[in-house]
Amino acid sequence: MEVITIESKAYSLLMEKLDKITAYVEETRLCEEAHKCRDEELKTDGRKRSTKWMTNKEACEVLEISPRTLQRYRTNRIVSYSIIGKQIRYPRKEIEHFRDRWMVETPDTKIDRMIAEHPLHTSKSKNYGKKRRNTGENE
């Protein structure tokens, strides 16, 4: 057996690096388990969908937006995509990251309050948008 000696400072640096690597591996494992749960939800017709790329339809379903909105996101370079042949594909990780970061679910109470406080909802005049007749008084 061969014995190797190192300084205590070098040993503590080595142990810190090993702790960082261990934490990274644990975090990656937890993320993979979370993605496996998400992938299980995405199974349809007994087949698992592609884990790397999404179609237009899949991206619209995940983001809960219309195809036109997704097209606008592509045009404005909000989401990244690739064109493979005649098909547009979206990286699954980026779509999920976009959803997690930017999509906010608005509570029903906040929507009701916004409607109630809107100027058109609270206006006393019900003639908004109607043409007024010329009564001849101002002539």
Side-chain angles (χ1 to χ4, degrees):
M1 177 173 11
E2 194 175 331
V3 177
I4 299 174
T5 57
I6 59 173
E7 294 178 4
S8 61
K9 186 175 181 179
Y11 177 76
S12 62
L13 288 173
L14 179 65
M15 292 308 292
E16 284 178 24
K17 288 184 180 184
L18 282 174
D19 289 339
K20 287 179 183 179
I21 291 170
T22 304
Y24 174 77
V25 169
E26 284 295 317
E27 182 181 331
T28 305
R29 186 180 59 81
L30 291 174
C31 287
E32 286 176 0
E33 288 177 2
H35 285 291
K36 282 181 186 176
C37 292
R38 262 193 210 154
D39 288 343
E40 290 297 321
E41 293 173 2
L42 295 175
K43 283 186 179 181
T44 56
D45 302 333
R47 300 182 296 169
K48 189 174 180 182
R49 294 182 181 174
S50 170
T51 57
K52 192 170 183 177
W53 297 95
M54 300 175 90
T55 63
N56 259 349
K57 185 177 179 183
E58 291 171 338
C60 288
E61 288 173 2
V62 169
L63 296 176
E64 298 178 8
I65 58 175
S66 70
R68 178 63 181 108
T69 302
L70 188 58
Q71 179 184 350
R72 190 171 59 249
Y73 287 174
R74 280 195 318 263
T75 303
N76 294 334
R77 299 173 191 233
I78 295 172
V79 295
S80 61
Y81 65 96
S82 291
I83 299 176
I84 303 168
K86 293 183 179 180
Q87 298 177 343
I88 299 173
R89 300 291 182 180
Y90 304 90
R92 183 173 299 279
K93 285 184 180 181
E94 289 196 27
I95 294 294
E96 289 175 353
H97 176 71
F98 178 79
R99 180 192 62 204
D100 294 340
R101 184 170 178 168
W102 296 107
M103 298 296 179
V104 177
E105 189 171 324
T106 308
D108 294 338
T109 54
K110 186 174 181 180
I111 293 173
D112 292 339
R113 182 178 50 80
M114 289 170 64
I115 290 171
E117 292 175 357
H118 194 275
L120 295 179
H121 188 267
T122 58
S123 69
K124 305 222 183 226
S125 172
K126 299 295 181 187
N127 293 330
Y128 181 78
K130 295 181 181 178
K131 290 187 177 180
R132 296 185 183 164
R133 290 185 358 194
N134 185 1
T135 58
E137 295 175 9
N138 294 338
E139 292 180 11

